[in-house]
Amino acid sequence: MPEQFMSVKQTAEYLNMSLAWVYREAPRLGLSAYKFGSGRNAKLQFKVSEVQAWVKQQKMPAP
């Protein structure tokens, strides 16, 4: 079964963050995007499984 991907907009909605945050901060924080196509028509997408795993890593430890 092929990997499922989310667009940048879907990723932003899933994370409850802005599009600008996803473009600017996600790669810096270790959330890798995949580029499909080239030039102006290129689309960035994120693997659903990687986004979900990244979210789990952000969990704060219990006090």
Side-chain angles (χ1 to χ4, degrees):
M1 180 177 209
E3 285 283 347
Q4 292 197 333
F5 290 88
M6 290 192 283
S7 68
V8 174
K9 183 178 179 182
Q10 291 170 319
T11 303
E13 289 171 359
Y14 182 83
L15 297 174
N16 197 29
M17 300 301 254
S18 69
L19 284 173
W21 185 91
V22 174
Y23 280 114
R24 183 183 62 245
E25 299 295 329
R28 187 179 68 80
L29 296 172
L31 191 54
S32 301
Y34 293 80
K35 183 178 176 181
F36 294 90
S38 60
R40 302 191 96 178
N41 292 327
K43 302 227 184 281
L44 291 180
Q45 296 196 347
F46 294 85
K47 279 187 183 177
V48 173
S49 60
E50 290 180 2
V51 173
Q52 291 171 336
W54 183 84
V55 167
K56 287 180 184 175
Q57 291 174 351
Q58 306 312 305
K59 184 177 178 182
M60 298 277 296

